[in-house]
Amino acid sequence: MATLSADNSTTTLDLDNDPQPDVSLRIVDSYGGREKLGPTGSIVGAPEMIVEIAASSFSYDMGAKMNAYRRDGVDEYLVYRAYDGEIDWFILRDGEYKRLAADGEGVYRSEVFPGLWLKADAFIAGDLALVLAVLQRGIASADHGEFTKKLESQRIAGQK
């Protein structure tokens, strides 16, 4: 597997930050990713993407956590705001988080994980059939095919 996800897993970003994000998505180090598993099984280093579900933790998720993720180089940061049913998707550019806009169909498209598409209004409405249909379209896209080929070409010889 070239990519892995984790939920509620301790992630050691640096000496001062070891948050437990709701979801993280990472490229395995043997495929060019930058993080590794530590001796205790925790994730060490910044995952390529982190997702937080913010309710009572909203100010922390959009404040101190977001700043730590930015400083430590988390490329994409998605926050689902449970209280108002909104999604904020950020991309790290030039050391700052910029909002990633949904396309004309209301679909967010990951830049770090091409093919990872999210139809925000369907997600918020609980229409998981549509969420999965849009995700499948993303996985079937040419961009996702190129991404998987790129990962395979970066695989370190002798490692699986």
Side-chain angles (χ1 to χ4, degrees):
M1 297 187 121
T3 60
L4 292 174
S5 63
D7 65 286
N8 293 305
S9 298
T10 300
T11 302
T12 303
L13 297 174
D14 56 42
L15 293 175
D16 298 319
N17 293 286
D18 57 353
Q20 191 173 353
D22 293 315
V23 177
S24 65
L25 185 58
R26 64 190 201 272
I27 298 172
V28 175
D29 62 334
S30 61
Y31 286 83
R34 60 179 171 248
E35 65 169 294
K36 301 179 188 297
L37 290 180
T40 62
S42 67
I43 298 168
V44 177
E48 282 74 13
M49 181 179 205
I50 286 182
V51 177
E52 295 285 3
I53 300 168
S56 61
S57 63
F58 175 76
S59 62
Y60 180 55
D61 291 333
M62 294 294 285
K65 262 189 177 179
M66 184 176 189
N67 286 328
Y69 295 157
R70 177 189 50 78
R71 280 192 311 272
D72 286 293
V74 174
D75 297 312
E76 286 188 328
Y77 182 45
L78 186 155
V79 178
Y80 169 59
R81 300 185 331 230
Y83 284 144
D84 61 4
E86 295 292 327
I87 291 176
D88 298 305
W89 195 317
F90 300 94
I91 183 88
L92 189 63
R93 290 197 175 108
D94 300 320
E96 297 296 325
Y97 277 129
K98 306 293 182 192
R99 285 188 188 276
L100 187 66
D103 66 15
E105 297 177 12
V107 176
Y108 287 96
R109 297 173 186 232
S110 173
E111 293 183 10
V112 176
F113 294 94
L116 176 58
W117 296 359
L118 176 65
K119 177 108 172 101
D121 58 351
F123 174 81
I124 292 164
D127 186 349
L128 297 184
L130 183 54
V131 170
L132 290 174
V134 169
L135 177 59
Q136 288 300 322
R137 279 189 17 229
I139 292 170
S141 71
D143 287 343
H144 181 71
E146 290 172 20
F147 174 62
T148 58
K149 286 179 187 173
K150 177 184 169 191
L151 289 177
E152 189 59 38
S153 73
Q154 293 176 164
R155 188 167 60 113
I156 298 171
Q159 294 191 15
K160 294 182 180 180

